Amino acid sequence: MPDTDVAQPFPDLLRAQIRHGFTAAQQYLAAAVYLDSNRLPQLAKYCYGKSGENRAHALRMVQYLLDRDLDVRVEGLNEVQSTFESPRAAIAHLLDSERTIAAQITALADAARTSGDYLGERFIQWFLKEQVEDVAGMTTLLTVVDRAAGDLFDVEDFISRELRTAPRADVTAPKMAGAAKN
C-alpha cells in the first residue's frame, strides 16, 4: 500500500504550478475584460498587465523543466471566474488568488528543500519574492478600493499615479520559454 503522507516531488508540483500560473493569467484577463466593460480603463490595464506577468511566470517554469531535461506538459486550465458582483469583488477575488498562489509557491520551496533539490530551491526563490510583492500589491489595491467608498474615479486616479503597469526589467528573473536566447 503506498504511503499517502509522502510529499509530491518538486518537479511534479512545478508541473502543477504551470497550470496554476496559466489559470492565474486567464483569471486576470477575465477580470480585466470585466473591468474594461465597466469603463474602468486603469483597473483593466493593471489587470491586463498582471495577466501577462502570470503567463510569463508559467513560461519561466516551463523553461526550467526544459533546461533540466524533465518532462513538460502544458494542460488545460482550472476554472476561471468571468463575472463579478462589483469591481471590488473582482479585486477581492484576485487577492484570494494571489494568496493561494503564494501558498503553492511556498509548498514548492518546501518540497525542493525537503528533497534536497538545491537547483529547484534556488530557482523557486525568485517566485517567492514575486509573490510577496503580488500579494502586497493586491492588498493595497483592495484597501484603496475600500477607502474610495464607491468612488472608482479615485481608484482610477490612484492606479494611474501609483501603480506601475508596464513590465519592469528584472535581470534576476529566470529565463522564459519562447524568449530570445542570448
Side-chain angles (χ1 to χ4, degrees), residues 137-173:
M138 289 309 294
T139 299
T140 297
L141 187 52
L142 185 59
T143 299
V144 168
V145 168
D146 287 342
R147 286 183 183 158
D151 188 350
L152 295 175
F153 291 114
D154 285 345
V155 176
E156 290 281 288
D157 185 50
F158 170 81
I159 292 169
S160 67
R161 268 192 348 264
E162 303 294 331
L163 295 184
R164 168 177 263 165
T165 55
R168 63 192 188 282
D170 183 350
V171 295
T172 66

mmCIF file of all heavy atoms in Angstrom, residues 137-173:
data_model
loop_
_atom_site.group_PDB
_atom_site.id
_atom_site.type_symbol
_atom_site.label_atom_id
_atom_site.label_comp_id
_atom_site.label_asym_id
_atom_site.label_seq_id
_atom_site.Cartn_x
_atom_site.Cartn_y
_atom_site.Cartn_z
ATOM 1 N N GLY A 137 0.713 44.052 -3.359
ATOM 2 C CA GLY A 137 0.111 44.960 -4.331
ATOM 3 C C GLY A 137 -1.398 44.824 -4.397
ATOM 4 O O GLY A 137 -2.121 45.829 -4.440
ATOM 5 N N MET A 138 -1.891 43.597 -4.415
ATOM 6 C CA MET A 138 -3.344 43.399 -4.473
ATOM 7 C C MET A 138 -4.009 43.787 -3.159
ATOM 8 O O MET A 138 -5.139 44.292 -3.162
ATOM 9 C CB MET A 138 -3.680 41.953 -4.842
ATOM 10 C CG MET A 138 -3.359 41.603 -6.292
ATOM 11 S SD MET A 138 -4.018 42.750 -7.533
ATOM 12 C CE MET A 138 -5.762 42.498 -7.338
ATOM 13 N N THR A 139 -3.313 43.596 -2.036
ATOM 14 C CA THR A 139 -3.845 44.033 -0.737
ATOM 15 C C THR A 139 -3.985 45.549 -0.726
ATOM 16 O O THR A 139 -5.015 46.086 -0.294
ATOM 17 C CB THR A 139 -2.933 43.563 0.415
ATOM 18 O OG1 THR A 139 -2.880 42.129 0.399
ATOM 19 C CG2 THR A 139 -3.439 44.034 1.766
ATOM 20 N N THR A 140 -2.968 46.248 -1.225
ATOM 21 C CA THR A 140 -3.026 47.710 -1.316
ATOM 22 C C THR A 140 -4.171 48.145 -2.220
ATOM 23 O O THR A 140 -4.940 49.049 -1.859
ATOM 24 C CB THR A 140 -1.688 48.266 -1.836
ATOM 25 O OG1 THR A 140 -0.666 47.950 -0.900
ATOM 26 C CG2 THR A 140 -1.763 49.772 -2.056
ATOM 27 N N LEU A 141 -4.297 47.499 -3.358
ATOM 28 C CA LEU A 141 -5.354 47.874 -4.293
ATOM 29 C C LEU A 141 -6.737 47.673 -3.675
ATOM 30 O O LEU A 141 -7.603 48.544 -3.783
ATOM 31 C CB LEU A 141 -5.224 47.084 -5.590
ATOM 32 C CG LEU A 141 -6.158 47.476 -6.722
ATOM 33 C CD1 LEU A 141 -6.095 48.970 -7.021
ATOM 34 C CD2 LEU A 141 -5.829 46.657 -7.965
ATOM 35 N N LEU A 142 -6.942 46.562 -2.989
ATOM 36 C CA LEU A 142 -8.238 46.337 -2.341
ATOM 37 C C LEU A 142 -8.481 47.362 -1.233
ATOM 38 O O LEU A 142 -9.600 47.865 -1.084
ATOM 39 C CB LEU A 142 -8.331 44.912 -1.781
ATOM 40 C CG LEU A 142 -9.684 44.533 -1.191
ATOM 41 C CD1 LEU A 142 -10.803 44.650 -2.228
ATOM 42 C CD2 LEU A 142 -9.635 43.120 -0.605
ATOM 43 N N THR A 143 -7.455 47.719 -0.498
ATOM 44 C CA THR A 143 -7.581 48.746 0.546
ATOM 45 C C THR A 143 -7.983 50.085 -0.065
ATOM 46 O O THR A 143 -8.860 50.789 0.458
ATOM 47 C CB THR A 143 -6.261 48.883 1.326
ATOM 48 O OG1 THR A 143 -5.966 47.630 1.940
ATOM 49 C CG2 THR A 143 -6.353 49.970 2.393
ATOM 50 N N VAL A 144 -7.372 50.444 -1.192
ATOM 51 C CA VAL A 144 -7.706 51.703 -1.871
ATOM 52 C C VAL A 144 -9.150 51.670 -2.360
ATOM 53 O O VAL A 144 -9.889 52.648 -2.218
ATOM 54 C CB VAL A 144 -6.715 51.980 -3.027
ATOM 55 C CG1 VAL A 144 -7.197 53.096 -3.925
ATOM 56 C CG2 VAL A 144 -5.338 52.294 -2.461
ATOM 57 N N VAL A 145 -9.571 50.540 -2.929
ATOM 58 C CA VAL A 145 -10.957 50.406 -3.374
ATOM 59 C C VAL A 145 -11.905 50.590 -2.194
ATOM 60 O O VAL A 145 -12.907 51.317 -2.292
ATOM 61 C CB VAL A 145 -11.189 49.043 -4.069
ATOM 62 C CG1 VAL A 145 -12.670 48.777 -4.278
ATOM 63 C CG2 VAL A 145 -10.443 48.987 -5.393
ATOM 64 N N ASP A 146 -11.588 49.974 -1.066
ATOM 65 C CA ASP A 146 -12.447 50.109 0.120
ATOM 66 C C ASP A 146 -12.468 51.536 0.646
ATOM 67 O O ASP A 146 -13.526 52.052 1.018
ATOM 68 C CB ASP A 146 -12.000 49.143 1.216
ATOM 69 C CG ASP A 146 -12.354 47.697 0.896
ATOM 70 O OD1 ASP A 146 -13.226 47.452 0.029
ATOM 71 O OD2 ASP A 146 -11.758 46.797 1.533
ATOM 72 N N ARG A 147 -11.330 52.192 0.674
ATOM 73 C CA ARG A 147 -11.265 53.573 1.167
ATOM 74 C C ARG A 147 -11.978 54.542 0.233
ATOM 75 O O ARG A 147 -12.459 55.589 0.664
ATOM 76 C CB ARG A 147 -9.820 54.007 1.352
ATOM 77 C CG ARG A 147 -9.184 53.378 2.563
ATOM 78 C CD ARG A 147 -7.786 53.875 2.771
ATOM 79 N NE ARG A 147 -7.180 53.199 3.889
ATOM 80 C CZ ARG A 147 -5.874 53.094 4.083
ATOM 81 N NH1 ARG A 147 -5.034 53.649 3.219
ATOM 82 N NH2 ARG A 147 -5.404 52.451 5.130
ATOM 83 N N ALA A 148 -12.030 54.207 -1.032
ATOM 84 C CA ALA A 148 -12.703 55.075 -2.004
ATOM 85 C C ALA A 148 -14.211 55.076 -1.803
ATOM 86 O O ALA A 148 -14.899 55.959 -2.316
ATOM 87 C CB ALA A 148 -12.370 54.638 -3.426
ATOM 88 N N ALA A 149 -14.703 54.123 -1.048
ATOM 89 C CA ALA A 149 -16.127 54.042 -0.692
ATOM 90 C C ALA A 149 -17.043 54.220 -1.911
ATOM 91 O O ALA A 149 -17.980 55.002 -1.891
ATOM 92 C CB ALA A 149 -16.453 55.060 0.398
ATOM 93 N N GLY A 150 -16.723 53.489 -2.972
ATOM 94 C CA GLY A 150 -17.583 53.525 -4.145
ATOM 95 C C GLY A 150 -17.182 54.531 -5.205
ATOM 96 O O GLY A 150 -17.719 54.501 -6.316
ATOM 97 N N ASP A 151 -16.266 55.441 -4.900
ATOM 98 C CA ASP A 151 -15.824 56.424 -5.883
ATOM 99 C C ASP A 151 -14.675 55.831 -6.688
ATOM 100 O O ASP A 151 -13.499 56.015 -6.359
ATOM 101 C CB ASP A 151 -15.399 57.727 -5.210
ATOM 102 C CG ASP A 151 -15.119 58.835 -6.223
ATOM 103 O OD1 ASP A 151 -15.074 58.539 -7.440
ATOM 104 O OD2 ASP A 151 -14.935 59.980 -5.790
ATOM 105 N N LEU A 152 -15.011 55.132 -7.738
ATOM 106 C CA LEU A 152 -13.998 54.431 -8.524
ATOM 107 C C LEU A 152 -13.121 55.378 -9.336
ATOM 108 O O LEU A 152 -12.049 54.986 -9.802
ATOM 109 C CB LEU A 152 -14.654 53.374 -9.401
ATOM 110 C CG LEU A 152 -15.315 52.240 -8.597
ATOM 111 C CD1 LEU A 152 -16.061 51.295 -9.514
ATOM 112 C CD2 LEU A 152 -14.295 51.496 -7.761
ATOM 113 N N PHE A 153 -13.537 56.644 -9.470
ATOM 114 C CA PHE A 153 -12.666 57.627 -10.120
ATOM 115 C C PHE A 153 -11.412 57.835 -9.277
ATOM 116 O O PHE A 153 -10.320 58.003 -9.821
ATOM 117 C CB PHE A 153 -13.394 58.952 -10.345
ATOM 118 C CG PHE A 153 -14.474 58.856 -11.384
ATOM 119 C CD1 PHE A 153 -15.800 59.006 -11.040
ATOM 120 C CD2 PHE A 153 -14.147 58.611 -12.715
ATOM 121 C CE1 PHE A 153 -16.801 58.901 -11.994
ATOM 122 C CE2 PHE A 153 -15.143 58.504 -13.685
ATOM 123 C CZ PHE A 153 -16.478 58.646 -13.317
ATOM 124 N N ASP A 154 -11.559 57.805 -7.948
ATOM 125 C CA ASP A 154 -10.392 57.909 -7.068
ATOM 126 C C ASP A 154 -9.468 56.706 -7.241
ATOM 127 O O ASP A 154 -8.243 56.836 -7.219
ATOM 128 C CB ASP A 154 -10.821 58.020 -5.599
ATOM 129 C CG ASP A 154 -11.358 59.392 -5.239
ATOM 130 O OD1 ASP A 154 -11.153 60.348 -6.029
ATOM 131 O OD2 ASP A 154 -11.979 59.513 -4.164
ATOM 132 N N VAL A 155 -10.043 55.536 -7.402
ATOM 133 C CA VAL A 155 -9.246 54.322 -7.609
ATOM 134 C C VAL A 155 -8.499 54.420 -8.937
ATOM 135 O O VAL A 155 -7.302 54.134 -9.014
ATOM 136 C CB VAL A 155 -10.134 53.060 -7.560
ATOM 137 C CG1 VAL A 155 -9.323 51.811 -7.860
ATOM 138 C CG2 VAL A 155 -10.831 52.935 -6.204
ATOM 139 N N GLU A 156 -9.190 54.845 -9.976
ATOM 140 C CA GLU A 156 -8.562 55.010 -11.287
ATOM 141 C C GLU A 156 -7.399 56.001 -11.201
ATOM 142 O O GLU A 156 -6.332 55.772 -11.768
ATOM 143 C CB GLU A 156 -9.592 55.486 -12.313
ATOM 144 C CG GLU A 156 -10.631 54.453 -12.682
ATOM 145 C CD GLU A 156 -10.107 53.436 -13.679
ATOM 146 O OE1 GLU A 156 -9.921 53.782 -14.855
ATOM 147 O OE2 GLU A 156 -9.862 52.296 -13.260
ATOM 148 N N ASP A 157 -7.607 57.099 -10.475
ATOM 149 C CA ASP A 157 -6.557 58.100 -10.300
ATOM 150 C C ASP A 157 -5.368 57.511 -9.546
ATOM 151 O O ASP A 157 -4.211 57.726 -9.928
ATOM 152 C CB ASP A 157 -7.125 59.323 -9.569
ATOM 153 C CG ASP A 157 -6.129 60.441 -9.465
ATOM 154 O OD1 ASP A 157 -5.532 60.807 -10.500
ATOM 155 O OD2 ASP A 157 -5.938 60.954 -8.338
ATOM 156 N N PHE A 158 -5.634 56.758 -8.490
ATOM 157 C CA PHE A 158 -4.570 56.119 -7.705
ATOM 158 C C PHE A 158 -3.728 55.206 -8.603
ATOM 159 O O PHE A 158 -2.499 55.245 -8.563
ATOM 160 C CB PHE A 158 -5.163 55.325 -6.540
ATOM 161 C CG PHE A 158 -4.158 54.455 -5.846
ATOM 162 C CD1 PHE A 158 -3.293 54.987 -4.905
ATOM 163 C CD2 PHE A 158 -4.060 53.099 -6.146
ATOM 164 C CE1 PHE A 158 -2.341 54.189 -4.277
ATOM 165 C CE2 PHE A 158 -3.116 52.291 -5.530
ATOM 166 C CZ PHE A 158 -2.253 52.842 -4.591
ATOM 167 N N ILE A 159 -4.388 54.398 -9.393
ATOM 168 C CA ILE A 159 -3.664 53.453 -10.251
ATOM 169 C C ILE A 159 -2.790 54.196 -11.258
ATOM 170 O O ILE A 159 -1.620 53.859 -11.444
ATOM 171 C CB ILE A 159 -4.640 52.493 -10.955
ATOM 172 C CG1 ILE A 159 -5.282 51.571 -9.931
ATOM 173 C CG2 ILE A 159 -3.928 51.674 -12.030
ATOM 174 C CD1 ILE A 159 -6.435 50.760 -10.464
ATOM 175 N N SER A 160 -3.341 55.224 -11.880
ATOM 176 C CA SER A 160 -2.556 55.960 -12.878
ATOM 177 C C SER A 160 -1.361 56.669 -12.238
ATOM 178 O O SER A 160 -0.326 56.822 -12.883
ATOM 179 C CB SER A 160 -3.426 56.948 -13.648
ATOM 180 O OG SER A 160 -3.870 57.985 -12.818
ATOM 181 N N ARG A 161 -1.496 57.077 -10.985
ATOM 182 C CA ARG A 161 -0.411 57.761 -10.276
ATOM 183 C C ARG A 161 0.594 56.807 -9.657
ATOM 184 O O ARG A 161 1.794 57.061 -9.677
ATOM 185 C CB ARG A 161 -0.975 58.608 -9.128
ATOM 186 C CG ARG A 161 -1.307 60.003 -9.393
ATOM 187 C CD ARG A 161 -1.582 60.801 -8.108
ATOM 188 N NE ARG A 161 -1.749 60.044 -6.891
ATOM 189 C CZ ARG A 161 -2.922 59.670 -6.370
ATOM 190 N NH1 ARG A 161 -4.051 59.983 -6.968
ATOM 191 N NH2 ARG A 161 -2.981 58.993 -5.247
ATOM 192 N N GLU A 162 0.110 55.736 -9.051
ATOM 193 C CA GLU A 162 0.945 54.947 -8.139
ATOM 194 C C GLU A 162 1.344 53.557 -8.595
ATOM 195 O O GLU A 162 2.355 53.045 -8.132
ATOM 196 C CB GLU A 162 0.227 54.804 -6.783
ATOM 197 C CG GLU A 162 -0.139 56.113 -6.120
ATOM 198 C CD GLU A 162 1.067 56.925 -5.683
ATOM 199 O OE1 GLU A 162 2.116 56.329 -5.374
ATOM 200 O OE2 GLU A 162 0.958 58.163 -5.663
ATOM 201 N N LEU A 163 0.559 52.925 -9.432
ATOM 202 C CA LEU A 163 0.842 51.525 -9.771
ATOM 203 C C LEU A 163 1.492 51.411 -11.131
ATOM 204 O O LEU A 163 0.975 51.911 -12.130
ATOM 205 C CB LEU A 163 -0.433 50.677 -9.727
ATOM 206 C CG LEU A 163 -1.072 50.545 -8.354
ATOM 207 C CD1 LEU A 163 -2.272 49.605 -8.423
ATOM 208 C CD2 LEU A 163 -0.086 50.045 -7.318
ATOM 209 N N ARG A 164 2.572 50.738 -11.158
ATOM 210 C CA ARG A 164 3.303 50.501 -12.411
ATOM 211 C C ARG A 164 2.569 49.427 -13.205
ATOM 212 O O ARG A 164 2.307 48.352 -12.709
ATOM 213 C CB ARG A 164 4.711 50.046 -12.068
ATOM 214 C CG ARG A 164 5.461 49.506 -13.256
ATOM 215 C CD ARG A 164 6.844 49.139 -12.867
ATOM 216 N NE ARG A 164 7.634 50.299 -13.256
ATOM 217 C CZ ARG A 164 8.855 50.539 -12.863
ATOM 218 N NH1 ARG A 164 9.444 49.746 -12.053
ATOM 219 N NH2 ARG A 164 9.497 51.581 -13.287
ATOM 220 N N THR A 165 2.225 49.754 -14.434
ATOM 221 C CA THR A 165 1.552 48.767 -15.272
ATOM 222 C C THR A 165 2.472 48.225 -16.359
ATOM 223 O O THR A 165 2.225 47.160 -16.883
ATOM 224 C CB THR A 165 0.289 49.361 -15.938
ATOM 225 O OG1 THR A 165 0.653 50.522 -16.661
ATOM 226 C CG2 THR A 165 -0.762 49.706 -14.905
ATOM 227 N N ALA A 166 3.532 48.957 -16.691
ATOM 228 C CA ALA A 166 4.480 48.456 -17.686
ATOM 229 C C ALA A 166 5.390 47.426 -17.029
ATOM 230 O O ALA A 166 5.803 47.604 -15.883
ATOM 231 C CB ALA A 166 5.311 49.608 -18.240
ATOM 232 N N PRO A 167 5.694 46.349 -17.729
ATOM 233 C CA PRO A 167 6.582 45.348 -17.141
ATOM 234 C C PRO A 167 7.948 45.959 -16.846
ATOM 235 O O PRO A 167 8.475 46.736 -17.633
ATOM 236 C CB PRO A 167 6.681 44.260 -18.197
ATOM 237 C CG PRO A 167 5.892 44.702 -19.368
ATOM 238 C CD PRO A 167 5.280 46.017 -19.071
ATOM 239 N N ARG A 168 8.477 45.613 -15.716
ATOM 240 C CA ARG A 168 9.790 46.127 -15.347
ATOM 241 C C ARG A 168 10.846 45.076 -15.679
ATOM 242 O O ARG A 168 10.589 43.879 -15.569
ATOM 243 C CB ARG A 168 9.829 46.489 -13.868
ATOM 244 C CG ARG A 168 9.610 45.296 -12.952
ATOM 245 C CD ARG A 168 9.374 45.726 -11.517
ATOM 246 N NE ARG A 168 9.354 44.611 -10.621
ATOM 247 C CZ ARG A 168 8.346 43.786 -10.446
ATOM 248 N NH1 ARG A 168 7.241 43.945 -11.120
ATOM 249 N NH2 ARG A 168 8.426 42.780 -9.594
ATOM 250 N N ALA A 169 11.999 45.542 -16.070
ATOM 251 C CA ALA A 169 13.085 44.625 -16.382
ATOM 252 C C ALA A 169 13.677 44.110 -15.071
ATOM 253 O O ALA A 169 13.991 44.885 -14.175
ATOM 254 C CB ALA A 169 14.152 45.331 -17.197
ATOM 255 N N ASP A 170 13.788 42.808 -14.954
ATOM 256 C CA ASP A 170 14.370 42.187 -13.771
ATOM 257 C C ASP A 170 15.448 41.228 -14.242
ATOM 258 O O ASP A 170 15.151 40.145 -14.737
ATOM 259 C CB ASP A 170 13.290 41.449 -12.972
ATOM 260 C CG ASP A 170 13.813 40.844 -11.680
ATOM 261 O OD1 ASP A 170 15.049 40.822 -11.474
ATOM 262 O OD2 ASP A 170 12.990 40.374 -10.876
ATOM 263 N N VAL A 171 16.698 41.649 -14.106
ATOM 264 C CA VAL A 171 17.799 40.825 -14.592
ATOM 265 C C VAL A 171 17.973 39.555 -13.773
ATOM 266 O O VAL A 171 18.664 38.637 -14.209
ATOM 267 C CB VAL A 171 19.124 41.625 -14.641
ATOM 268 C CG1 VAL A 171 19.027 42.758 -15.660
ATOM 269 C CG2 VAL A 171 19.492 42.148 -13.273
ATOM 270 N N THR A 172 17.353 39.484 -12.597
ATOM 271 C CA THR A 172 17.455 38.277 -11.772
ATOM 272 C C THR A 172 16.390 37.237 -12.120
ATOM 273 O O THR A 172 16.424 36.132 -11.602
ATOM 274 C CB THR A 172 17.344 38.619 -10.272
ATOM 275 O OG1 THR A 172 16.030 39.118 -9.994
ATOM 276 C CG2 THR A 172 18.395 39.647 -9.853
ATOM 277 N N ALA A 173 15.440 37.592 -12.993
ATOM 278 C CA ALA A 173 14.361 36.679 -13.350
ATOM 279 C C ALA A 173 14.887 35.482 -14.118
ATOM 280 O O ALA A 173 15.761 35.622 -14.971
ATOM 281 C CB ALA A 173 13.304 37.409 -14.179
#
